[in-house]
Amino acid sequence: KTPTSVFRDICYQSQLGERLRRRLATSSKDSKSFVQSLSLYRSLKVHRGCVNTVTWNEKGNHVLSGSDDQTLVVTNPFTGNVVVKCKTGHRANIFSAKFMPHTGDQEVVSCSGDGNVIYTELMQSPDVCNTANINEFNCHSNSTTYEVVTIPQEPRSFMSCGEDGTVRLFDLRKISNCHKMCCKENIVIMSPSSITAMAMSPVMHNYVAVGSSDSHIRIYDRRFLTYIDFTATGEQNTLPVKAFTIPSLEKRPFRVTSVSYSRDGGQLLVSYSSDHLYLFDISREGVDVTPLNDKIKRKTNKENADPPPVRRLRLRGDWSDTGPDARPEREVPESGEASTGQVRPILQATMMSRMTEVISRMLADPRTRANLNLLSHLGQQANPTLAEEQRQQQEAEPGGAGPSGAVPHPNGSKNSRDHDSPSYSDEEEDKSSLQVALQEGEANYDYLLMKFMGHRNARTMIKEASFWGDEYIMSGSDCGHVFTWERATGKLVMLMEADHHVVNCIQPHPTLPYLATSGIDYDVKIWAPFQCEDGEDAPRFDEEKAQRLMERNAVMLEETKDTITVPAAVMIRMLACIHSFRNRNRGNIARIDDEDD
């Protein structure tokens, strides 16, 4: 049976006016029947690595995708033909890419894990791009750059945000390239924490919402930016117009992985790593999280904060806890039920458990801790100037000790997918300012409209969520599914299996009920409402299966919270280093005993 798309033949008919297109988009996307009829329309196998960013052009007839292979590809999603394929100058995984407005889809801007932001002019020919007309900016100082945002009606300007806690505005009419380390130019927003997601209001383009690694969403007005100085450290932070966060009693912040405005600009959809998906009413007052208050609260919390727990370890590249067949570790299959991919590899799980146990036991040994403290003290005595400079730098840097969960790549870049959830940098291991507000009775969360649960967001630094029309919410998940909830009730109404491991990107068509998704698989998937030619209904939503999956995700989300991803080489070095410390300590004890004798 060959399925046919409901909108395949009418998508680009010339007689359809703009008003009719809008009515068609509203009625189709807000139809529950259409939502539950979404099925795979086409798979675009145009990359050789995980696809970390997908976006439609304004007309909706082209898709731009970026991947771990440092390649940008423009594809016609309805024919599968590659329009342009461009090998960029990025040296790490591409995290975000956008078409520039009013350029005929000939110019794009992209950013990557090495901190580079690149403006590229494409040519309408496969495997060709104009490398002579490339503008490269390395202003984020080799720290991960998560998002690029274009400005409507401005084809020569764009914004970027990154791990260095800044939002930068680049105007190609004023600057063409920048390779300065720790560049102080082009900064429009300075946040007290790493900025991991960003979105511009579709109604008022001067308002920018940024999501940070400290659980906060801050909204800034680009026309009125006020800076606060900290005389002790010389640090500046930008004062937001409003700020929002989530009510959490845990002693850890949650990294924001996605921020999306509603069509009318009145609500924000925010996805949190190791937590859930929230809908905020930004017309409300929000919470008081000025940079000055943040500094005071973090200092107070640091004195009373409990030490972070010793976590479990996971080898980089181990995706056994992701995908539709992943199961919690405590769930043991009955005899004869185990199959390939259903349970984690027993040998690997045993090795990881044993290595974690050994490292945890060594770190808990008072003799090992004494050796570590002694080495640190001796290092500071040997070079007090360097130690003081490092201390001042750590206090001054808004990003703390680096990206939460971003494991350093051997060549200096960050891994785009594996990450810890959450991290414990100097800044982020403290209690959030929300907890202080809860204790003092100052917090008011009347802006929190809805909490969407059931999916799992823990394994990747990218996990997008989006509005589907005016009635539904969509999000990717570590279980390889796309989740769809009713916006008003938070009830799950649809599941789609969209990746063998993790669904990271969710991008609805600008007008029609098409959906583009991507993740760990090396392709971009296009979804559309389907009906079989003989009139049979498409597969519908299975509530019992969805309930089992949601329960499983809840268990695995708790398991993943205390797990960090490390390369095998790092784990071996950790064991060797700790073993060396213990042997050295035994040798010192033996010499002391000999002297006493």
Side-chain angles (χ1 to χ4, degrees), residues 323-500:
D325 295 329
R327 296 293 185 271
E329 289 187 345
R330 71 186 188 189
E331 184 175 318
V332 180
E334 297 180 2
S335 177
E337 291 186 358
S339 62
T340 303
Q342 274 192 316
V343 293
R344 306 182 190 186
I346 298 177
L347 177 60
Q348 177 174 302
T350 303
M351 291 176 59
M352 293 296 295
S353 177
R354 178 58 179 163
M355 295 179 76
T356 303
E357 180 183 353
V358 171
I359 293 177
S360 302
R361 189 180 302 168
M362 288 181 175
L363 291 175
D365 191 332
R367 293 174 297 177
T368 303
R369 290 181 176 272
N371 274 296
L372 292 173
N373 293 333
L374 178 61
L375 287 177
S376 176
H377 179 67
L378 291 176
Q380 293 180 2
Q381 286 185 337
N383 196 343
T385 304
L386 179 60
E388 179 64 20
E389 290 177 355
Q390 291 177 345
R391 184 190 65 79
Q392 293 178 357
Q393 183 178 6
Q394 290 176 355
E395 291 179 354
E397 287 181 353
S404 70
V407 180
H409 195 272
N411 62 8
S413 65
K414 310 291 188 300
N415 187 294
S416 71
R417 303 176 303 278
D418 283 356
H419 80 100
D420 315 340
S421 14
S423 72
Y424 283 97
S425 64
D426 289 342
E427 179 182 34
E428 296 171 1
E429 68 182 356
D430 306 330
K431 295 180 181 178
S432 66
S433 58
L434 169 62
Q435 289 181 271
V436 177
L438 284 172
Q439 294 171 1
E440 297 175 354
E442 298 175 354
N444 182 11
Y445 303 106
D446 58 350
Y447 55 81
L448 183 55
L449 299 178
M450 187 58 62
K451 179 179 180 179
F452 304 95
M453 303 175 62
H455 71 305
R456 181 157 51 99
N457 177 8
R459 283 300 309 270
T460 58
M461 301 172 70
I462 303 169
K463 188 71 83 280
E464 293 180 349
S466 177
F467 293 91
W468 178 263
D470 294 328
E471 301 294 333
Y472 297 98
I473 300 294
M474 286 186 171
S475 174
S477 175
D478 291 348
C479 62
H481 288 82
V482 175
F483 283 67
T484 305
W485 299 270
E486 288 181 346
R487 179 174 173 178
T489 65
K491 180 182 178 181
L492 186 68
V493 296
M494 185 58 179
L495 277 176
M496 296 184 295
E497 187 175 324
D499 198 279
H500 289 92

Side-chain angles (χ1 to χ4, degrees), residues 135 137 139 169-178 185-186:
N135 304 93
F137 304 90
C139 301
L169 174 63
F170 301 98
D171 189 339
L172 296 178
R173 295 166 296 186
K174 298 179 180 179
I175 182 173
S176 58
N177 292 278
C178 182
E185 301 176 4
N186 309 311

Side-chain angles (χ1 to χ4, degrees), residues 190 192 218 220 228 230 236-240 289-296 298:
M190 289 181 288
R218 297 174 175 87
Y220 299 90
I228 295 181
F230 296 102
Q236 281 190 333
N237 285 319
T238 311
L239 189 64
V289 286
T290 61
L292 182 59
N293 287 338
D294 281 350
K295 283 287 182 180
I296 296 174
R298 283 200 299 271

Side-chain angles (χ1 to χ4, degrees), residues 107-126:
E107 300 173 13
V108 299
V109 60
S110 57
C111 67
S112 61
D114 59 1
N116 274 7
V117 180
I118 298 180
Y119 182 95
T120 307
E121 181 177 325
L122 305 175
M123 298 179 65
Q124 290 297 327
S125 176

